[in-house]
């Protein structure tokens, strides 16, 4: 059976995220044998936790790996620890219960203008999800120092024992992400070219 790759988008984002679409294009153009999934994540953290846990449990007989960006990186980290999975984290959110206090109230989705209200209870849900890392080697963390939204040093500290790629400049969206896709897929032990594929 094909391995399953989940891409988890960020806060106020959606499956239309350009990084998610860059991975989709790479896989589609080469007809790679990868079951690629980009779920729309609920706004409420507990709902994200429940939805992803159900997905991981249902796929326990398949090989599952994760990519996550920003808040999606936080969720990917949580799921990787809980279900013993490999994960790539791109400019991941660290301690989001602290970061998102600045976003309490109405928030508008970047892609479709859906409006959601961030409440104090959601902050507490994020706090409850955070755990110490048990096996940092399961992560490849990519950050750009020019991230205008997150302090990249928080990620480099939390994931200091993981594989780390730190680039100067850049942005929160992670400039030129597409050039990393082949290496990320290879590190996740996924097929990178059609010739290397077959049903795995």
């Amino acid at each position: 059976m094909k391995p399953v790759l989940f891409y988890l988008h960020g806060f106020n984002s959606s499956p239309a995220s350009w990084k998610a679409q860059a991975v989709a294009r790479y896989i589609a153009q080469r007809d790679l044998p990868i079951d690629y999934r980009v779920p729309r994540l609920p706004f409420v953290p507990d709902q994200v936790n429940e939805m992803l846990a159900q997905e991981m449990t249902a796929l326990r007989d398949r090989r599952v790996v994760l990519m996550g960006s920003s808040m999606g990186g936080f969720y990917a980290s949580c799921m990787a620890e809980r279900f013993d999975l490999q994960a790539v984290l791109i400019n991941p959110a660290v301690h989001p219960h602290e970061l998102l206090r600045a976003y309490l109230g109405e928030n508008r989705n970047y892609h479709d203008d859906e409006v959601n209200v961030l409440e104090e209870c959601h902050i507490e849900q994020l706090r409850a999800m955070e755990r110490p890392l048990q096996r940092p080697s399961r992560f490849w963390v990519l950050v750009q120092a020019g991230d205008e939204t997150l302090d990249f040093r928080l990620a480099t500290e939390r994931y200091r024992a993981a594989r780390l790629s730190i680039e100067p400049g850049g942005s929160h969206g992670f400039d030129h992400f597409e050039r990393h896709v082949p290496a990320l897929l290879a590190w996740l032990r996924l097929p990178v070219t059609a010739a290397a594929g077959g049903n795995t």
Side-chain angles (χ1 to χ4, degrees):
M1 299 177 73
K2 294 179 181 179
V4 183
L5 168 60
F6 279 91
Y7 183 97
L8 306 182
H9 64 74
F11 182 71
N12 284 332
S13 189
S14 79
S17 156
W18 77 270
K19 292 186 292 298
Q21 294 305 308
V23 177
R25 283 192 300 275
Y26 187 92
I27 292 171
Q29 288 169 359
R30 291 156 183 81
D31 194 25
L32 300 180
I34 299 172
D35 183 353
Y36 182 54
R37 306 185 185 189
V38 190
R40 184 178 181 105
L41 301 179
F43 187 79
V44 176
D46 272 0
Q47 293 177 6
V48 177
N49 195 30
E50 181 179 359
M51 182 190 82
L52 292 177
Q54 288 176 353
E55 292 270 17
M56 302 303 120
T57 301
L59 292 165
R60 61 186 176 275
D61 296 328
R62 305 271 300 274
R63 183 161 182 276
V64 177
V65 292
L66 305 165
M67 283 190 189
S69 175
S70 192
M71 181 63 75
F74 171 76
Y75 289 134
S77 183
C78 292
M79 291 298 115
E81 286 287 333
R82 181 172 174 182
F83 292 95
D84 192 24
L85 306 174
Q86 246 184 307
V88 168
L89 313 180
I90 306 135
N91 280 340
V94 175
H95 311 312
H97 60 280
E98 298 174 357
L99 169 71
L100 289 190
R101 287 199 174 278
Y103 295 83
L104 285 168
E106 286 192 356
N107 289 268
R108 189 176 298 275
N109 189 281
Y110 303 131
H111 299 288
D112 59 16
D113 286 336
E114 178 182 83
V115 175
N116 291 284
V117 178
L118 185 68
E119 302 176 0
E120 186 65 36
C121 63
H122 302 146
I123 300 294
E124 294 309 311
Q125 290 167 14
L126 289 168
R127 186 197 305 273
M129 290 176 67
E130 191 165 308
R131 294 286 187 276
L133 299 181
Q134 300 300 315
R135 188 158 69 84
S137 61
R138 76 174 79 246
F139 301 108
W140 183 357
V141 180
L142 298 91
V143 297
Q144 290 188 329
D147 188 333
E148 71 282 5
T149 301
L150 304 176
D151 184 345
F152 79 99
R153 294 170 296 185
L154 295 176
T156 60
E157 171 60 24
R158 177 165 173 78
Y159 297 98
R160 61 189 179 278
R163 177 171 179 171
L164 270 173
S165 295
I166 306 169
E167 297 187 359
S171 68
H172 185 60
F174 205 96
D175 296 358
H176 310 296
F177 168 75
E178 65 281 355
R179 73 177 185 266
H180 294 288
V181 172
L184 299 179
L185 294 181
W187 184 79
L188 291 167
R189 294 184 289 122
L190 297 174
V192 177
T193 65
N199 281 339
T200 56

